[in-house]
Amino acid sequence: MKNIVLFGPPGVGKGTKAALLKERYQLIHISTGDVFRFNIKNNTPLGILAKSFIDKGNLVPDKVTIDMLKTEVDKNLNSNGIIFDGFPRTKLQATTLDDYLAIKGTQIYAMIALEVPENILVERLLKRGLTSNRPDDQDENKIRNRFNEYQTKTAVLINYYAAQNKFYGVNGVGSIKEITARLCAVFDNL
Ligand code: ADP
């Protein structure tokens, strides 16, 4: 399994690029944000709990997120590989993922980080909020809080994967085609 973490701050374009990589390499795409939104839509206990954090732009607690992620991984252990999108977002999530994949006889091959300046991201998210129906995209304070969560809890993971020689930064500004080509160049060499 060629598993990768697709990484970057909110609005950087992980979801669209993950869908393209999934198609091209026949991978599984696990987006923790999508799984939470599916649960919110269906009013499950997990969804009701997660909504109270997500709507404020806060991270959902580690235990809840990690349990959910393990369930998703277990469903896909016979695949070509998994694209992790939106996970890990804390150091504990990252170490837990490494340990869990090791138990299953596999590992993360790379963290590929999409890089886009923050002012462009806020604009993109507010624009997405006009059509996406996501309350966390419709209020600049919530968006700022998500960036704060990213800076204080998530950005440290760059060093975590760099220390394992698994970090690859990719310019996330340009056309979808250009950015996808940059991502594929990294993936093909793993
Ligand atoms: P974006 O990258 O645009 O912020 P996501 O769809 O990845 O959006 O996530 C939406 C929200 O879901 C996050 O702001 C957070 O509240 C919650 N979430 C998603 N993944 C995680 C995670 N790994 N740990 C904690 N919370 C998460």
Side-chain angles (χ1 to χ4, degrees):
M1 289 176 77
K2 213 157 144 186
N3 308 301
I4 59 164
V5 172
L6 195 57
F7 191 77
V12 82
K14 299 184 290 287
T16 46
K17 305 315 172 305
L20 291 165
L21 293 178
K22 167 190 160 157
E23 193 70 11
R24 177 160 178 154
Y25 297 104
Q26 299 297 303
L27 302 169
I28 300 294
H29 173 205
I30 300 179
S31 157
T32 42
D34 285 350
V35 180
F36 282 134
R37 283 185 287 277
F38 178 83
N39 279 277
I40 291 171
K41 204 170 143 208
N42 290 290
N43 254 310
T44 67
L46 172 65
I48 292 163
L49 175 67
K51 186 173 167 47
S52 61
F53 296 94
I54 292 176
D55 280 358
K56 295 192 192 87
N58 293 328
L59 291 186
V60 177
D62 276 339
K63 176 156 183 6
V64 177
T65 309
I66 288 169
D67 285 351
M68 177 186 94
L69 190 275
K70 285 182 177 172
T71 308
E72 294 301 315
V73 170
D74 288 347
K75 288 184 209 162
N76 293 297
L77 285 168
N78 290 319
S79 64
N80 291 336
I82 299 175
I83 305 169
F84 292 92
D85 163 7
F87 190 98
R89 261 170 149 113
T90 64
K91 184 86 187 288
L92 180 66
Q93 291 181 15
T95 52
T96 307
L97 180 63
D98 276 353
D99 294 347
Y100 198 64
L101 292 179
I103 292 169
K104 305 290 177 184
T106 184
Q107 60 166 313
I108 294 292
Y109 283 79
M111 168 203 257
I112 310 181
L114 286 166
E115 297 168 338
V116 173
E118 185 172 320
N119 57 335
I120 298 184
L121 295 176
V122 176
E123 272 173 42
R124 276 194 197 174
L125 288 168
L126 285 167
K127 201 169 152 206
R128 183 168 84 185
L130 297 175
T131 51
S132 72
N133 244 337
R134 281 182 55 171
D136 59 340
D137 280 347
Q138 287 162 356
D139 173 334
E140 192 159 342
N141 287 328
K142 290 178 186 174
I143 292 175
R144 297 272 169 214
N145 192 40
R146 280 154 66 203
F147 281 104
N148 186 46
E149 291 279 75
Y150 174 80
Q151 288 304 343
T152 54
K153 298 175 184 165
T154 308
V156 291
L157 298 182
I158 292 172
N159 294 334
Y160 178 81
Y161 287 98
Q164 299 182 41
N165 283 320
K166 291 178 177 174
F167 173 80
Y168 300 85
V170 165
N171 180 0
V173 182
S175 68
I176 292 187
K177 207 170 158 199
E178 285 165 340
I179 302 163
T180 306
R182 291 174 199 144
L183 293 169
C184 291
V186 174
F187 192 85
D188 288 336
N189 279 309
L190 293 177

